[in-house]
Structures are given as structure tokens and as C-alpha cells.
């Protein structure tokens, strides 16, 4: 790799818990979720360039201004009055869209990579604010591991790492629009009282995940399973094959399943190869420490 060119991973997330408590005045939804980073990852390579140029090995991914990586780069340019650009290459493995936070993760990795490339000095909380303006899931990717997200999903509280080694993620060939999925839920307008009590219940559920994985829940399931029956078929198939738990991730269409042994997971992985339209990934959880080491946060996340 030429000097001043470096690569960083961009990990996917799953949601171990996702409760939507109501619709806010700003049009977003108030939620409580438990994010978890997993080993499925894209790679971003950064190099010096006069302009901001993004390339991607997957022709289906738009590489123009609508890409969150380009948005992140332009945001930093504006914020810091930078005139140089960056050459960024995205090696895409995370299905998009898929409920796995791929775009948000790419944006967070892009912010971290460009801060390093341009040698910018930024406080951690300011980085989170910039992330928030790009997408609701972005701030989580400055933490990694297991964390509770509240508000729009942008207020992050770190929790003890949840660990699972035998996970399959299955993504059927269905594009769910997160915006539509939220709109179709018909969540009630938020009152402070209901929101606070739901938040309390959700925090309790999040913390008791360690005691009972059966607390895994996602409020999108009813809506998304009805709109896209193929997603319901994925969950049913995983449970029929012997998964201990299976749950839609985010607004889908990916479903993850936890198995009690590697052997069982391998058997199911092999069996699912018959489903030609499904993408199947064998993954494990990534702890916060491992996540932060691999992203080489260095000084920006410890200032
Ligand atoms: O923040 P992000 O761009 O990822 O959100 C995509 C869409 O999902 C938003 O435009 C909004 O319609 C919906 N959303 C929401 N409530 C949230 C997060 C997202 O209604 N907490």
C-alpha cells in the first residue's frame, strides 16, 4: 500500500432489542434499542487526492453525493474548511439495505478515516454530533460492542458486552425502506409520560438480556413480516432448522439467528445454500475493545 494510504474495517450491527415507543414532533420515532457489532464487515481504503472521489467494488452502490461516505467527507471539509480531497474505496460485503447498519457504519468509518487522513483534531462528542446529522445509527459506530440507543437511536449508553459465537445472518432478496417501515407502524404520538415508562421497561429488558436471551424483541417484526412475507419465512426457517433464537435486525430484511453450537450452525449454513435468493453469513459478536482496536481509534476517541 502506498504511503499515506490505509484501510479500516466497517462493521455491521444487529439489534438484539428494538422497541419503538412513539412518534416525535420532529417526525422521527422515539426508540430504545440494543445495538451489537458483529464480524461481518466492509473495508474502506483512504488515500490522498485533490477531490473527494469514492469507488466501490459493487456497481449497485451509488458512489455519488447520496452515499453517506461522500456526505461524511464533505461535512468534514465544510466544518474544518479543508480544501484537499480524499480517494476512498469501498469493498462492500454488508447487504444494503439490510437492517445491518451498513451505510451508517460506512459513514462512521469514513469520519474516523478522514479525520486521520487530514490530521484533524476533533473531540469525541463533536464527532458524534456530526455522525448524528448523517444518520440515526451513526453515533453507535463510534462505540461498538453492545450499547443501548435511545431517543432517535442516537443517545448511546455502553453496556456489558453480550457474547455469541454461533450466529447466522440471512438476508433475503427484499429491499425494506426504513422510512416506510416506521411510517407503516402507525406508532402513537408521543407523550412524555408514555415515553418515559416505555423507556424504563426497555432499559430493564436491555439489561436482562444477559439473564434471558428470550427477551430478544423487535417491534418492526409485525409490520415488516406482513409487508414482506419472505422475511417471515426466513425467521420461520431458521427456527425450524433448530436456531435457539431468531430475530429481524433493524427494519430488515436481514434476520439473525443464534445457535447453541458451531456444528449446528454449520449444518444450517449448508442447508440454506438451497435458498438461492438468500445471502447467508456466519458471524460472531465483536466486543467493544476489539472493535475499537480494529478501527484504530487512537487519539480521536480518547480525547
Ligand atoms: O436517521 P436515518 O436517516 O437512518 O433514518 C431514515 C428514516 O427512518 C428517517 O427519515 C425517518 O423517516 C425514519 N426514522 C424514524 N425514527 C428514527 C430513525 C429513523 O422515524 N428514530
Amino acid at each position: 500500500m502506498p504511503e499515506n494510504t490505509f484501510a479500516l474495517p466497517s462493521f455491521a450491527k444487529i439489534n438484539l432489542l428494538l422497541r419503538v415507543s412513539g412518534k416525535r414532533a420532529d417526525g422521527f420515532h422515539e426508540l430504545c434499542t440494543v445495538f451489537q457489532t458483529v464480524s461481518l464487515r466492509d473495508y474502506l481504503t483512504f488515500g490522498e487526492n485533490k477531490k473527494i472521489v469514492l469507488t466501490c467494488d459493487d456497481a449497485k452502490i451509488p458512489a455519488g453525493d447520496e452515499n453517506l461516505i461522500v456526505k461524511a467527507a464533505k461535512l468534514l471539509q465544510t466544518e474544518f474548511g479543508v480544501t484537499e480531497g480524499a480517494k476512498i474505496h469501498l469493498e462492500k460485503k454488508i447487504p444494503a439495505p439490510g437492517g445491518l447498519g451498513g451505510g451508517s457504519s460506512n459513514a462512521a468509518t469514513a469520519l474516523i478515516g478522514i479525520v486521520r487522513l487530514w490530521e484533524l483534531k476533533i473531540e469525541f462528542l463533536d464527532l458524534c454530533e456530526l455522525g448524528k446529522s448523517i444518520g440515526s445509527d451513526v453515533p453507535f459506530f463510534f462505540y461498538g460492542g453492545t450499547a443501548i440507543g435511545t431517543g432517535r437511536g442516537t443517545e448511546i449508553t455502553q453496556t456489558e458486552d453480550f457474547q455469541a459465537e454461533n450466529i447466522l445472518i440471512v438476508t433475503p432478496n427484499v429491499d425494506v425502506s426504513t422510512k416506510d417501515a416506521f411510517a407503516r407502524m402507525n406508532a402513537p404520538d408521543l407523550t412524555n409520560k408514555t415515553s418515559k415508562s416505555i423507556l424504563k421497561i426497555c432499559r430493564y429488558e436491555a439489561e436482562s438480556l444477559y439473564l434471558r436471551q428470550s427477551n430478544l424483541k423487535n417491534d418492526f417484526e409485525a409490520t415488516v413480516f406482513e409487508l414482506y412475507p419472505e422475511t417471515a419465512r426466513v425467521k420461520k426457517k431458521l427456527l425450524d432448522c433448530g436456531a435457539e433464537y431468531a430475530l429481524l435486525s433493524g427494519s430488515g430484511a436481514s434476520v439473525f439467528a443464534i445457535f447453541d453450537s458451531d456444528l449446528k450452525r454449520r449444518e444450517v449454513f449448508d442447508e440454506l445454500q438451497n435458498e438461492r435468493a438468500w445471502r447467508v453469513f456466519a458471524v460472531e459478536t465483536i466486543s467493544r475493545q476489539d472493535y475499537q482496536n480494529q478501527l484504530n481509534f487512537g487519539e480521536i476517541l480518547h480525547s
Side-chain angles (χ1 to χ4, degrees):
M1 230 177 244
E3 224 178 309
N4 238 348
T5 299
F6 58 91
L8 291 176
S10 175
F11 289 94
K13 60 82 182 157
I14 53 177
N15 300 81
L16 299 172
L17 182 74
L18 204 169
R19 312 305 307 264
V20 177
S21 54
K23 201 169 169 196
R24 300 160 30 139
D26 64 3
F28 280 86
H29 290 74
E30 192 77 5
L31 53 86
C32 172
T33 186
V34 178
F35 292 111
Q36 173 65 57
T37 38
V38 292
S39 51
L40 174 63
R41 71 191 77 177
D42 296 337
Y43 278 100
L44 269 73
T45 309
F46 300 86
E48 291 173 354
N49 208 43
K50 281 203 179 109
K51 289 188 169 160
I52 293 168
V53 176
L54 174 67
T55 52
C56 181
D57 63 350
D58 181 344
K60 290 198 290 290
I61 303 292
D65 282 359
E66 67 274 51
N67 191 296
L68 299 190
I69 295 172
V70 177
K71 277 196 182 152
K74 294 205 162 163
L75 199 57
L76 282 175
Q77 251 185 346
T78 312
E79 283 289 316
F80 287 86
V82 173
T83 49
E84 65 188 292
K87 191 164 63 182
I88 308 167
H89 181 70
L90 168 63
E91 200 183 312
K92 198 75 195 156
K93 296 272 182 296
I94 306 172
L100 301 172
S104 301
S105 173
N106 289 171
T109 298
L111 287 172
I112 291 168
I114 296 165
V115 161
R116 179 167 148 192
L117 185 74
W118 293 342
E119 297 178 353
L120 305 174
K121 288 270 166 273
I122 183 165
E123 297 280 332
F124 179 61
L125 290 178
D126 293 336
L127 197 60
C128 289
E129 282 303 312
L130 285 185
K132 210 188 273 189
S133 71
I134 301 175
S136 304
D137 287 349
V138 179
F140 163 68
F141 288 103
F142 296 124
Y143 294 81
T146 313
I148 301 176
T150 53
R152 263 172 61 199
T154 55
E155 309 314 310
I156 305 296
T157 312
Q158 308 183 49
T159 56
E160 192 189 329
D161 277 316
F162 171 86
Q163 198 192 345
E165 279 155 15
N166 304 310
I167 305 176
L168 284 183
I169 294 176
V170 178
T171 312
N173 194 12
V174 169
D175 285 357
V176 178
S177 148
T178 303
K179 198 179 165 126
D180 287 354
F182 269 113
R184 296 266 192 155
M185 277 177 118
N186 272 328
D189 284 337
L190 211 58
T191 65
N192 272 343
K193 203 170 155 216
T194 51
S195 151
K196 272 191 190 136
S197 68
I198 291 172
L199 195 64
K200 220 167 162 185
I201 295 168
C202 180
R203 274 195 185 274
Y204 170 76
E205 286 174 336
E207 276 148 22
S208 59
L209 268 178
Y210 303 95
L211 307 176
R212 280 154 44 90
Q213 288 187 13
S214 54
N215 279 346
L216 296 170
K217 278 190 198 100
N218 183 338
D219 283 347
F220 276 115
E221 281 196 339
T223 310
V224 172
F225 286 174
E226 196 189 324
L227 282 174
Y228 307 96
E230 187 71 347
T231 56
R233 193 168 79 80
V234 173
K235 176 164 174 169
K236 183 170 183 313
K237 177 86 177 178
L238 285 162
L239 290 172
D240 288 349
C241 284
E244 277 190 284
Y245 305 100
L247 194 75
L248 189 76
S249 182
S251 57
S254 304
V255 176
F256 69 92
I258 303 178
F259 295 86
D260 62 5
S261 73
D262 183 37
L263 183 67
K264 185 74 208 165
R265 178 178 65 167
R266 279 178 204 218
E267 280 170 21
V268 177
F269 184 93
D270 290 344
E271 189 175 338
L272 295 182
Q273 299 310 307
N274 297 327
E275 295 280 357
R276 293 301 173 99
W278 294 1
R279 295 175 70 186
V280 186
F281 306 93
V283 304
E284 59 187 356
T285 53
I286 294 283
S287 70
R288 181 158 30 254
Q289 189 64 60
D290 192 10
Y291 181 84
Q292 298 193 356
N293 287 345
Q294 293 207 47
L295 266 149
N296 200 1
F297 280 176
E299 292 192 346
I300 50 167
L301 290 199
H302 300 291
S303 56

